mmCIF file of all heavy atoms in Angstrom:
data_model
loop_
_atom_site.group_PDB
_atom_site.id
_atom_site.type_symbol
_atom_site.label_atom_id
_atom_site.label_comp_id
_atom_site.label_asym_id
_atom_site.label_seq_id
_atom_site.Cartn_x
_atom_site.Cartn_y
_atom_site.Cartn_z
ATOM 1 N N ILE X 179 31.342 48.516 -2.394
ATOM 2 C CA ILE X 179 31.384 47.206 -1.756
ATOM 3 C C ILE X 179 32.835 46.784 -1.559
ATOM 4 O O ILE X 179 33.257 46.413 -0.478
ATOM 5 C CB ILE X 179 30.657 46.166 -2.634
ATOM 6 C CG1 ILE X 179 29.267 46.677 -3.023
ATOM 7 C CG2 ILE X 179 30.559 44.831 -1.935
ATOM 8 C CD1 ILE X 179 28.624 45.920 -4.146
ATOM 9 N N THR X 180 33.602 46.841 -2.642
ATOM 10 C CA THR X 180 35.037 46.586 -2.577
ATOM 11 C C THR X 180 35.753 47.845 -3.017
ATOM 12 O O THR X 180 35.200 48.649 -3.776
ATOM 13 C CB THR X 180 35.429 45.417 -3.513
ATOM 14 O OG1 THR X 180 35.034 45.744 -4.860
ATOM 15 C CG2 THR X 180 34.739 44.130 -3.088
ATOM 16 N N LEU X 371 24.323 42.987 -7.234
ATOM 17 C CA LEU X 371 24.626 41.796 -6.435
ATOM 18 C C LEU X 371 23.373 41.229 -5.775
ATOM 19 O O LEU X 371 23.222 40.010 -5.669
ATOM 20 C CB LEU X 371 25.665 42.145 -5.361
ATOM 21 C CG LEU X 371 27.123 42.310 -5.818
ATOM 22 C CD1 LEU X 371 28.036 42.415 -4.617
ATOM 23 C CD2 LEU X 371 27.573 41.175 -6.710
ATOM 24 N N LEU X 372 22.481 42.118 -5.326
ATOM 25 C CA LEU X 372 21.230 41.667 -4.717
ATOM 26 C C LEU X 372 20.398 40.894 -5.729
ATOM 27 O O LEU X 372 19.809 39.846 -5.407
ATOM 28 C CB LEU X 372 20.446 42.870 -4.188
ATOM 29 C CG LEU X 372 19.100 42.558 -3.523
ATOM 30 C CD1 LEU X 372 19.314 41.789 -2.226
ATOM 31 C CD2 LEU X 372 18.319 43.839 -3.260
ATOM 32 N N LYS X 374 21.487 39.269 -8.416
ATOM 33 C CA LYS X 374 22.136 37.983 -8.726
ATOM 34 C C LYS X 374 21.931 36.978 -7.594
ATOM 35 O O LYS X 374 21.675 35.792 -7.840
ATOM 36 C CB LYS X 374 23.631 38.204 -8.972
ATOM 37 C CG LYS X 374 23.946 38.916 -10.278
ATOM 38 C CD LYS X 374 25.444 39.053 -10.473
ATOM 39 C CE LYS X 374 25.762 39.697 -11.823
ATOM 40 N NZ LYS X 374 27.225 39.816 -12.049
ATOM 41 N N ASN X 375 22.042 37.449 -6.362
ATOM 42 C CA ASN X 375 21.851 36.549 -5.220
ATOM 43 C C ASN X 375 20.399 36.102 -5.116
ATOM 44 O O ASN X 375 20.113 34.931 -4.818
ATOM 45 C CB ASN X 375 22.277 37.260 -3.929
ATOM 46 C CG ASN X 375 22.334 36.312 -2.747
ATOM 47 O OD1 ASN X 375 22.845 35.197 -2.857
ATOM 48 N ND2 ASN X 375 21.813 36.745 -1.616
ATOM 49 N N ASN X 378 19.760 33.436 -7.659
ATOM 50 C CA ASN X 378 20.307 32.149 -7.204
ATOM 51 C C ASN X 378 19.388 31.471 -6.192
ATOM 52 O O ASN X 378 19.188 30.249 -6.228
ATOM 53 C CB ASN X 378 21.689 32.352 -6.575
ATOM 54 C CG ASN X 378 22.763 32.651 -7.606
ATOM 55 O OD1 ASN X 378 22.525 32.548 -8.814
ATOM 56 N ND2 ASN X 378 23.941 33.011 -7.148
ATOM 57 N N GLU X 379 18.843 32.281 -5.277
ATOM 58 C CA GLU X 379 17.968 31.714 -4.251
ATOM 59 C C GLU X 379 16.682 31.161 -4.864
ATOM 60 O O GLU X 379 16.162 30.125 -4.419
ATOM 61 C CB GLU X 379 17.630 32.780 -3.194
ATOM 62 C CG GLU X 379 18.802 33.182 -2.327
ATOM 63 C CD GLU X 379 19.420 32.000 -1.596
ATOM 64 O OE1 GLU X 379 18.659 31.112 -1.132
ATOM 65 O OE2 GLU X 379 20.657 31.932 -1.504
ATOM 66 N N ARG X 382 17.520 27.874 -6.338
ATOM 67 C CA ARG X 382 17.700 26.848 -5.311
ATOM 68 C C ARG X 382 16.358 26.303 -4.808
ATOM 69 O O ARG X 382 16.295 25.220 -4.229
ATOM 70 C CB ARG X 382 18.485 27.408 -4.126
ATOM 71 C CG ARG X 382 19.974 27.534 -4.377
ATOM 72 C CD ARG X 382 20.729 27.752 -3.076
ATOM 73 N NE ARG X 382 22.120 28.098 -3.324
ATOM 74 C CZ ARG X 382 22.589 29.334 -3.359
ATOM 75 N NH1 ARG X 382 21.764 30.350 -3.157
ATOM 76 N NH2 ARG X 382 23.861 29.566 -3.597
ATOM 77 N N VAL X 389 25.122 24.219 -5.957
ATOM 78 C CA VAL X 389 25.985 25.223 -5.339
ATOM 79 C C VAL X 389 26.192 26.357 -6.344
ATOM 80 O O VAL X 389 26.773 26.146 -7.413
ATOM 81 C CB VAL X 389 27.354 24.629 -4.927
ATOM 82 C CG1 VAL X 389 28.252 25.708 -4.334
ATOM 83 C CG2 VAL X 389 27.160 23.497 -3.943
ATOM 84 N N LEU X 390 25.694 27.535 -6.015
ATOM 85 C CA LEU X 390 25.761 28.670 -6.934
ATOM 86 C C LEU X 390 26.519 29.817 -6.275
ATOM 87 O O LEU X 390 26.373 30.062 -5.080
ATOM 88 C CB LEU X 390 24.353 29.136 -7.312
ATOM 89 C CG LEU X 390 23.456 28.096 -7.989
ATOM 90 C CD1 LEU X 390 22.034 28.620 -8.082
ATOM 91 C CD2 LEU X 390 23.989 27.757 -9.375
ATOM 92 N N SER X 391 27.301 30.511 -7.055
ATOM 93 C CA SER X 391 28.062 31.658 -6.539
ATOM 94 C C SER X 391 27.583 32.938 -7.203
ATOM 95 O O SER X 391 26.966 32.903 -8.271
ATOM 96 C CB SER X 391 29.560 31.474 -6.786
ATOM 97 O OG SER X 391 29.816 31.368 -8.179
ATOM 98 N N VAL X 392 27.891 34.052 -6.576
ATOM 99 C CA VAL X 392 27.572 35.359 -7.133
ATOM 100 C C VAL X 392 28.851 35.946 -7.713
ATOM 101 O O VAL X 392 29.840 36.129 -7.002
ATOM 102 C CB VAL X 392 27.008 36.304 -6.043
ATOM 103 C CG1 VAL X 392 26.777 37.698 -6.619
ATOM 104 C CG2 VAL X 392 25.712 35.743 -5.483
ATOM 105 N N ASN X 393 28.842 36.201 -9.009
ATOM 106 C CA ASN X 393 30.026 36.724 -9.693
ATOM 107 C C ASN X 393 29.824 38.180 -10.075
ATOM 108 O O ASN X 393 28.708 38.604 -10.405
ATOM 109 C CB ASN X 393 30.328 35.906 -10.947
ATOM 110 C CG ASN X 393 30.651 34.455 -10.626
ATOM 111 O OD1 ASN X 393 31.403 34.187 -9.699
ATOM 112 N ND2 ASN X 393 30.078 33.528 -11.383
ATOM 113 N N ASN X 394 30.901 38.940 -10.041
ATOM 114 C CA ASN X 394 30.860 40.341 -10.465
ATOM 115 C C ASN X 394 32.173 40.692 -11.143
ATOM 116 O O ASN X 394 33.251 40.514 -10.557
ATOM 117 C CB ASN X 394 30.629 41.262 -9.257
ATOM 118 C CG ASN X 394 30.380 42.690 -9.677
ATOM 119 O OD1 ASN X 394 29.633 42.951 -10.623
ATOM 120 N ND2 ASN X 394 31.005 43.633 -8.993
ATOM 121 N N ASN X 395 32.080 41.145 -12.395
ATOM 122 C CA ASN X 395 33.266 41.489 -13.190
ATOM 123 C C ASN X 395 34.268 40.338 -13.253
ATOM 124 O O ASN X 395 35.487 40.530 -13.158
ATOM 125 C CB ASN X 395 33.958 42.735 -12.617
ATOM 126 C CG ASN X 395 33.108 43.970 -12.764
ATOM 127 O OD1 ASN X 395 32.379 44.139 -13.745
ATOM 128 N ND2 ASN X 395 33.167 44.846 -11.771
ATOM 129 N N GLY X 396 33.741 39.110 -13.385
ATOM 130 C CA GLY X 396 34.610 37.944 -13.539
ATOM 131 C C GLY X 396 35.163 37.398 -12.241
ATOM 132 O O GLY X 396 35.915 36.420 -12.257
ATOM 133 N N ARG X 397 34.817 38.002 -11.117
ATOM 134 C CA ARG X 397 35.312 37.535 -9.825
ATOM 135 C C ARG X 397 34.165 37.004 -8.981
ATOM 136 O O ARG X 397 33.069 37.581 -8.978
ATOM 137 C CB ARG X 397 36.024 38.661 -9.073
ATOM 138 C CG ARG X 397 37.330 39.099 -9.733
ATOM 139 C CD ARG X 397 38.042 40.143 -8.881
ATOM 140 N NE ARG X 397 37.251 41.357 -8.768
ATOM 141 C CZ ARG X 397 37.624 42.419 -8.061
ATOM 142 N NH1 ARG X 397 38.765 42.390 -7.380
ATOM 143 N NH2 ARG X 397 36.869 43.494 -8.020
ATOM 144 N N THR X 398 34.434 35.927 -8.251
ATOM 145 C CA THR X 398 33.425 35.358 -7.366
ATOM 146 C C THR X 398 33.391 36.134 -6.056
ATOM 147 O O THR X 398 34.428 36.317 -5.400
ATOM 148 C CB THR X 398 33.732 33.880 -7.080
ATOM 149 O OG1 THR X 398 33.747 33.159 -8.316
ATOM 150 C CG2 THR X 398 32.673 33.277 -6.162
ATOM 151 N N MET X 399 32.203 36.608 -5.696
ATOM 152 C CA MET X 399 32.038 37.346 -4.458
ATOM 153 C C MET X 399 31.888 36.358 -3.292
ATOM 154 O O MET X 399 31.148 35.374 -3.403
ATOM 155 C CB MET X 399 30.807 38.243 -4.516
ATOM 156 C CG MET X 399 30.824 39.304 -5.611
ATOM 157 S SD MET X 399 32.035 40.614 -5.310
ATOM 158 C CE MET X 399 33.352 40.139 -6.458
ATOM 159 N N SER X 400 32.571 36.623 -2.196
ATOM 160 C CA SER X 400 32.491 35.745 -1.033
ATOM 161 C C SER X 400 31.099 35.823 -0.414
ATOM 162 O O SER X 400 30.432 36.860 -0.504
ATOM 163 C CB SER X 400 33.540 36.141 0.004
ATOM 164 O OG SER X 400 33.243 37.427 0.539
ATOM 165 N N PRO X 401 30.639 34.735 0.223
ATOM 166 C CA PRO X 401 29.320 34.762 0.890
ATOM 167 C C PRO X 401 29.227 35.869 1.936
ATOM 168 O O PRO X 401 28.158 36.453 2.123
ATOM 169 C CB PRO X 401 29.235 33.382 1.549
ATOM 170 C CG PRO X 401 30.142 32.519 0.747
ATOM 171 C CD PRO X 401 31.261 33.410 0.301
ATOM 172 N N GLU X 402 30.348 36.158 2.609
ATOM 173 C CA GLU X 402 30.348 37.226 3.615
ATOM 174 C C GLU X 402 30.050 38.581 2.980
ATOM 175 O O GLU X 402 29.311 39.400 3.534
ATOM 176 C CB GLU X 402 31.706 37.285 4.343
ATOM 177 C CG GLU X 402 32.012 36.086 5.215
ATOM 178 C CD GLU X 402 32.524 34.885 4.411
ATOM 179 O OE1 GLU X 402 32.790 35.049 3.187
ATOM 180 O OE2 GLU X 402 32.634 33.795 4.991
ATOM 181 N N LEU X 403 30.628 38.821 1.801
ATOM 182 C CA LEU X 403 30.431 40.094 1.112
ATOM 183 C C LEU X 403 28.989 40.220 0.621
ATOM 184 O O LEU X 403 28.377 41.289 0.739
ATOM 185 C CB LEU X 403 31.406 40.211 -0.066
ATOM 186 C CG LEU X 403 31.492 41.570 -0.754
ATOM 187 C CD1 LEU X 403 31.959 42.637 0.226
ATOM 188 C CD2 LEU X 403 32.431 41.509 -1.942
ATOM 189 N N VAL X 404 28.448 39.128 0.077
ATOM 190 C CA VAL X 404 27.060 39.135 -0.393
ATOM 191 C C VAL X 404 26.114 39.370 0.779
ATOM 192 O O VAL X 404 25.134 40.122 0.670
ATOM 193 C CB VAL X 404 26.727 37.809 -1.109
ATOM 194 C CG1 VAL X 404 25.253 37.763 -1.494
ATOM 195 C CG2 VAL X 404 27.608 37.628 -2.342
ATOM 196 N N ASN X 405 26.422 38.738 1.904
ATOM 197 C CA ASN X 405 25.607 38.931 3.104
ATOM 198 C C ASN X 405 25.670 40.379 3.590
ATOM 199 O O ASN X 405 24.658 40.955 4.006
ATOM 200 C CB ASN X 405 26.097 37.985 4.205
ATOM 201 C CG ASN X 405 25.302 38.135 5.490
ATOM 202 O OD1 ASN X 405 24.096 37.952 5.515
ATOM 203 N ND2 ASN X 405 25.986 38.504 6.563
ATOM 204 N N LYS X 406 26.853 40.981 3.500
ATOM 205 C CA LYS X 406 27.023 42.372 3.924
ATOM 206 C C LYS X 406 26.191 43.317 3.067
ATOM 207 O O LYS X 406 25.650 44.318 3.561
ATOM 208 C CB LYS X 406 28.501 42.757 3.853
ATOM 209 C CG LYS X 406 28.823 44.107 4.462
ATOM 210 C CD LYS X 406 30.320 44.389 4.442
ATOM 211 C CE LYS X 406 30.619 45.750 5.068
ATOM 212 N NZ LYS X 406 32.083 46.053 5.068
ATOM 213 N N VAL X 407 26.077 43.014 1.766
ATOM 214 C CA VAL X 407 25.261 43.829 0.867
ATOM 215 C C VAL X 407 23.796 43.785 1.299
ATOM 216 O O VAL X 407 23.108 44.811 1.353
ATOM 217 C CB VAL X 407 25.406 43.351 -0.592
ATOM 218 C CG1 VAL X 407 24.355 43.995 -1.486
ATOM 219 C CG2 VAL X 407 26.799 43.670 -1.115
ATOM 220 N N GLY X 408 23.314 42.580 1.624
ATOM 221 C CA GLY X 408 21.932 42.448 2.075
ATOM 222 C C GLY X 408 21.676 43.197 3.373
ATOM 223 O O GLY X 408 20.652 43.883 3.522
ATOM 224 N N VAL X 409 22.623 43.085 4.307
ATOM 225 C CA VAL X 409 22.499 43.794 5.585
ATOM 226 C C VAL X 409 22.524 45.300 5.363
ATOM 227 O O VAL X 409 21.747 46.045 5.979
ATOM 228 C CB VAL X 409 23.631 43.366 6.548
ATOM 229 C CG1 VAL X 409 23.619 44.239 7.809
ATOM 230 C CG2 VAL X 409 23.488 41.906 6.927
#
Side-chain angles (χ1 to χ4, degrees):
I179 309 165
T180 58
L371 284 190
L372 180 67
K374 289 182 177 181
N375 190 44
N378 287 351
E379 291 303 321
R382 283 194 190 96
V389 178
L390 301 170
S391 61
V392 176
N393 298 316
N394 188 44
N395 293 325
R397 292 184 296 179
T398 300
M399 299 290 103
S400 66
E402 293 80 8
L403 190 61
V404 175
N405 180 59
K406 189 176 180 180
V407 168
V409 172

